[in-house]
Amino acid sequence: FAQVTIPVLVMTGYFAVSEPGDLYYFTQHHRYNPHVEDRLLIGPYDDTMMQVEPSASLHGYQIDPNALIDLHELRYQWFDRVFKGTAAAPLLKESVNYQVMGANEWQHAPSLDAMSGGSLKFYLDGVAPGGNHRLARSKKTNAVFVEQKVGFSDRTDAAWTPPKDLISKKLAPRHGAIFISEPLTKPTEFNGLFSGRLDFTINKMDVDLSITVYELLASGDYVRLFSPTYEFRASYARDRAHRHLLNAGERQELPFKSERITSRRLQTGSRLVVVLGVNKRPDREINYGTGGDVSDESVDDGKIPLRIRWFTDSYIDFPVRN
């Protein structure tokens, strides 16, 4: 990365499959070559929109009017800036340029971390009114936990496909637990990379986890803040280059930081919703948790169901702009 001295324009979307890879190259280039003149532009787009042009509706979600920009023209303006020395396009005036969904505006920041000026910490509460659990602003003092069980050898769900709609009336967590906050008392901008620490016990040496975040509107609609779901392998959460296996049967902590960013102005009265789950998808390589090479594992390694307990010391930090 240090040897790449040319300026790079990175364009991606909150609903693009390629977003984690795009952000990785952007952040690593800045890490090893901090003086490079890179630009990141990100908005409510998927991969198709990035190749063609933004459309007013994406899987049921209505895009803000000011996000409907000419991405091809913006690329030409970038080339003019690099090769002809013209003034930078207004949308690319900072290192990070992002569209705030629900606010119909663009914001600019010198870095990903600078997108937010603070955070809201929510603990995973074991209380389950109406079958769901709570995202609580304060931590429980007792050892309450939420338990999940996943049978990897059960293949009755092999025809399952993930939902594409970005707005839905109800959630089908599928191997996940739903956590819901109290209503927000004021408009709040969710900007940047969320992170957290999971406190749990597990009977395996590894597991693939998934986290999806929604805004639950007062109308009852669930709005995805990013898509696809953020997925990560627990043994690589601390270090993506070196594997660190879990301690089966022991209570342990796992810090994580999302590789997907998003930006949305959450409405007064809305609730934050987190679906924390174990990844068991027919279109994914299944991690059976033996601790060996996942590519060498088979369904025979999944005869014993996975059991995991999430304790109330677990929390998620949501980045917000003050």
Side-chain angles (χ1 to χ4, degrees):
F1 286 102
Q3 296 177 21
V4 180
T5 58
I6 61 172
V8 179
L9 172 62
V10 179
M11 303 176 76
T12 188
Y14 307 133
F15 307 113
V17 175
S18 60
E19 183 195 4
D22 296 330
L23 296 181
Y24 173 75
Y25 284 107
F26 176 76
T27 55
Q28 293 300 298
H29 199 196
H30 274 274
R31 175 183 178 185
Y32 292 103
N33 194 340
H35 303 295
V36 73
E37 190 186 356
D38 284 359
R39 292 290 186 271
L40 170 68
L41 181 129
I42 185 167
Y45 314 125
D46 64 0
D47 296 283
T48 300
M49 285 184 174
M50 302 306 302
Q51 296 173 20
V52 187
E53 63 180 8
S55 58
S57 178
L58 176 64
H59 300 305
Y61 176 73
Q62 298 302 308
I63 307 298
D64 288 345
N66 83 334
L68 303 177
I69 61 176
D70 190 334
L71 298 176
H72 293 300
E73 177 60 26
L74 195 61
R75 293 185 182 100
Y76 285 123
Q77 293 176 15
W78 170 254
F79 288 140
D80 283 344
R81 165 68 174 168
V82 172
F83 296 118
K84 298 181 180 180
T86 61
L91 276 181
L92 301 176
K93 66 180 182 180
E94 284 277 12
S95 181
V96 177
N97 308 275
Y98 59 99
Q99 202 273 339
V100 185
M101 296 185 293
N104 196 37
E105 66 182 32
W106 287 86
Q107 292 290 338
H108 313 273
S111 67
L112 292 179
D113 289 339
M115 289 177 63
S116 60
S119 66
L120 291 176
K121 178 178 287 188
F122 288 92
Y123 291 89
L124 305 185
D125 199 327
V127 177
N132 296 320
H133 308 282
R134 293 179 59 232
L135 281 178
R137 296 286 282 134
S138 58
K139 180 175 63 175
K140 289 285 186 180
T141 56
N142 53 1
V144 177
F145 58 82
V146 175
E147 187 167 26
Q148 290 180 260
K149 177 183 176 181
V150 180
F152 288 127
S153 60
D154 180 4
R155 291 294 199 258
T156 58
D157 57 355
W160 179 86
T161 56
K164 293 183 178 180
D165 290 342
L166 299 179
I167 298 181
S168 53
K169 290 293 185 182
K170 61 180 181 179
L171 300 182
R174 192 176 184 274
H175 310 310
I178 300 175
F179 299 85
I180 302 179
S181 76
E182 293 296 319
L184 298 172
T185 58
K186 61 180 180 180
T188 304
E189 283 193 14
F190 183 130
N191 288 336
L193 295 159
F194 67 91
S195 59
R197 185 190 68 192
L198 300 175
D199 180 6
F200 63 100
T201 61
I202 189 172
N203 65 336
K204 304 282 186 177
M205 297 178 68
D206 202 1
V207 63
D208 288 354
L209 299 173
S210 65
I211 298 178
T212 311
V213 183
Y214 299 84
E215 177 185 5
L216 174 55
L217 302 177
S219 65
D221 288 339
Y222 293 87
V223 181
R224 284 201 216 186
L225 300 191
F226 56 84
S227 184
T229 293
Y230 173 55
E231 302 169 338
F232 64 101
R233 183 156 292 170
S235 57
Y236 285 99
R238 301 175 189 272
D239 182 348
R240 65 182 299 150
H242 303 92
R243 194 178 189 193
H244 300 273
L245 295 176
L246 304 177
N247 300 314
E250 298 180 13
R251 185 166 173 173
Q252 59 210 291
E253 295 180 351
L254 183 70
F256 71 91
K257 190 170 186 177
S258 169
E259 295 179 334
R260 303 193 69 93
I261 67 173
T262 192
S263 176
R264 180 171 171 83
R265 181 170 295 172
L266 309 175
Q267 302 176 14
T268 300
S270 288
R271 301 170 187 259
L272 277 166
V273 179
V274 170
V275 178
L276 172 62
V278 174
N279 202 348
K280 180 199 168 190
R281 290 176 50 169
D283 59 344
R284 294 286 192 272
E285 179 182 60
I286 293 180
N287 183 353
Y288 292 98
T290 65
D293 188 331
V294 177
S295 298
D296 293 333
E297 293 178 328
S298 73
V299 68
D300 291 335
D301 297 307
K303 293 179 179 179
I304 298 177
L306 178 143
R307 295 181 182 273
I308 190 167
R309 290 179 173 180
W310 305 112
F311 291 94
T312 54
D313 280 355
S314 302
Y315 66 82
I316 297 180
D317 269 326
F318 295 109
V320 295
R321 187 164 70 95
N322 296 330

